[in-house]
Amino acid sequence: MASLRFPFSFSQTQPPHYSRPLSSFPVAAAVGATAVGATAAFAVLTSSSSSSSSHRQFLESALNFLFSSDRTSLPAWGTLSLADMSVPVVESKSGATFPSVLGDSQKLCGIGLRRKSVFGLKNIDVYAFGVYADDNDIKECLAGKFEKLSALELKGNKEFTEDILENDISMTVSLQIVYGRLSISSVRSAFEESVGSRLQKFGGSDNKELLQRFTAQFKDEIKIPKGSVINISREKGYVLRTSIDGQEVGSIQSKLLCKSILDLYLGEEPFDKQAKEDIELNLASYLQK
């Protein structure tokens, strides 16, 4: 089989308009029935408009519950188990698991699955991803501007998303490889294409050296078998830090590079549109707490 390119640049199929289910290990039995009733199996499935409307109504009801003062029971919401941030979350299609909290303060905002179509005949699951953010940074940077708007009002708000991309907010994109034949050279090549296009979009064409500094971190000797985790973090001061399986491979101080990476998941043309909606909704919810 030919080498599979890391699919940052592949076209994205249209997802349904409801949240993909995430389940926490210890509480899956308790909330499983509700999660299944609230969502279908995964974002690559399609749904009718009536089903979409029904799920949207459920989402609004769930959010009203989450933001109410009475939280004595576990929220019955199929997107994220916000009640217990110590419990891992499972991406249902791939089985990849993500901690609900990364480090000391970054909370999981949403997950997605990147797929590649092979000759238009078969879709291959390449990697699952989770996007994390520091809720205190969100409040500090954006509360004054957006706190009077509800989470649902902020969902899809272009100005809100742009401010997330632009501000010095600690965030991490965690990629978990689910395709066993992925090579590090494929990762490097795909970043050259996808991140390169964003660098040109936001900063013009004279950014080849910055792109080369980033892609050079993915050296040929690095192995990324199935289950490997690549964490790409925007830290304070617009430092982009990259690690693979817990080992740091490099860091670069660049606001432009940070924005270009996050735009792959939160921008106008995200890899996973449903994941973007979930992430936006949860980022907005931090302003309500």
Side-chain angles (χ1 to χ4, degrees), residues 25-215:
F25 291 132
V27 298
V31 301
T34 304
V36 171
T39 62
F42 193 69
V44 296
L45 301 177
T46 57
S47 63
S48 66
S49 60
S50 60
S51 175
S52 174
S53 175
S54 173
H55 286 296
R56 190 72 65 184
Q57 292 173 2
F58 174 84
L59 181 60
E60 293 178 3
S61 298
L63 282 171
N64 289 335
F65 176 87
L66 285 171
F67 300 144
S68 68
S69 58
D70 182 11
R71 299 183 188 178
T72 57
S73 59
L74 182 66
W77 186 24
T79 304
L80 286 177
S81 179
L82 300 180
D84 186 352
M85 297 305 291
S86 65
V87 178
V89 175
V90 181
E91 195 288 306
S92 60
K93 185 68 175 181
S94 65
T97 63
F98 295 87
S100 296
V101 178
L102 199 63
D104 296 328
S105 59
Q106 291 191 25
K107 297 180 180 178
L108 183 61
C109 301
I111 61 174
L113 182 69
R114 189 60 175 155
R115 313 191 88 193
K116 182 193 182 304
S117 176
V118 180
F119 305 120
L121 301 175
K122 180 180 180 181
N123 287 324
I124 293 177
D125 300 339
V126 182
Y127 71 90
F129 65 87
V131 174
Y132 295 79
D134 188 311
D135 58 335
N136 290 323
D137 283 356
I138 297 289
K139 295 174 187 176
E140 180 180 341
C141 293
L142 304 179
K145 187 174 182 179
F146 297 108
E147 62 183 348
K148 293 184 179 180
L149 298 177
S150 70
L152 288 177
E153 288 173 322
L154 287 174
K155 183 179 179 181
N157 185 307
K158 292 184 178 180
E159 186 175 6
F160 176 68
T161 302
E162 181 66 18
D163 280 4
I164 292 291
L165 295 175
E166 285 282 351
N167 275 274
D168 196 10
I169 298 169
S170 297
M171 297 184 68
T172 296
V173 180
S174 183
L175 313 178
Q176 185 171 150
I177 307 303
V178 297
Y179 182 71
R181 299 181 182 179
L182 194 64
S183 68
I184 197 69
S185 62
S186 298
V187 175
R188 186 170 56 244
S189 297
F191 273 133
E192 288 173 351
E193 184 175 352
S194 60
V195 179
S197 67
R198 264 59 173 197
L199 288 172
Q200 184 172 10
K201 173 183 176 182
F202 297 127
S205 59
D206 189 23
N207 290 290
K208 292 183 179 180
E209 181 180 353
L210 178 59
L211 177 62
Q212 196 277 332
R213 286 174 60 199
F214 174 68
T215 58

